[in-house]
Every structure is written in C-alpha cells, then in structure tokens.
Amino acid sequence: PFQVVGGKVKKPGKRGRKPAKIDLKAKLERSRQSARECRARKKLRYQYLEELVSSRERAICALREELEMYKQWCMAMDQGKIPSEIKALLTGEEQGKAQQNSIKLAKAGKTEANSGNP
C-alpha cells in the first residue's frame, strides 16, 4: 500500500490539489464580472489619456500663437517700430514701479511718525 520514493513514504490515491467544489456556472459568472471590471478600468484609463493629450494639444496651440506673436513683435522692432503691446507693458511697469515707490514712502512715513511718539 505505501511506496517509498526518494526516502519519502507516499500514500496511494489522488495527488496534487483537490478540485474545487465550486460549480461551473458560478466560476463563469465570476470570470465574466472580472472581464467587465477590467474593460471598465481600461475605458477609464483611455478617457484619462485622451483628456491628457487634448489638454497638451491645447497648450501647444496656445504656445505656438504666443511664439508667433513674439516673432511679429521682433520683426516690427527690427524695422524700427515699437509694437503698442510692448509700449503698454513698459508704461504699465513704470506705473507699477511708481505705485510701489509711493507705497514704500507712505509706509516709511508711518513708521517714522510712530517712532517719533514717546
């Protein structure tokens, strides 16, 4: 009844894992459900990637438009013309600096006034 193989005693009968007692229909249904979930995850992943691609494409288009605008500005400046947008930027910066200086002066005046009081 017992066999000795390689120094080990083996019992007669079935070898390996016992077959699961799960009926075939339940197993098939689990497999189908798993496949449905997998397809749903795949669909979501593709949607996410498509949104990512379209947002990057929009960003590229915006950057190309900006680059074209800068090229036109440079060509205008090469011809000795200053584009109105650059003039607006420069005057805006000057106005901003003047406002910052006046704010600094106002703050300095307040601190001097406060420090003068005993």
Side-chain angles (χ1 to χ4, degrees), residues 25-71:
K25 285 185 180 179
K27 189 173 181 181
L28 285 172
E29 186 51 41
R30 269 205 329 260
S31 178
R32 286 189 195 108
Q33 181 63 29
S34 176
R36 277 192 291 269
E37 290 170 2
C38 180
R39 284 190 294 272
R41 284 192 305 269
K42 183 179 177 182
K43 187 177 177 183
L44 283 173
R45 193 166 41 250
Y46 271 80
Q47 284 175 347
Y48 167 72
L49 289 172
E50 285 172 359
E51 288 172 11
L52 208 64
V53 167
S54 65
S55 71
R56 298 283 162 88
E57 285 175 345
R58 285 193 300 272
I60 289 170
C61 289
L63 287 170
R64 281 198 177 125
E65 289 174 11
E66 189 178 352
L67 180 63
E68 190 58 38
M69 178 184 68
Y70 289 140
K71 280 183 184 177

Side-chain angles (χ1 to χ4, degrees), residues 79-102:
Q79 295 170 359
K81 302 172 190 169
I82 299 177
S84 58
E85 295 91 344
I86 293 180
K87 284 181 185 175
L89 273 173
L90 291 173
T91 55
E93 283 179 11
E94 289 170 9
Q95 289 174 354
K97 286 180 183 175
Q99 287 175 347
Q100 286 176 351
N101 287 338
S102 63

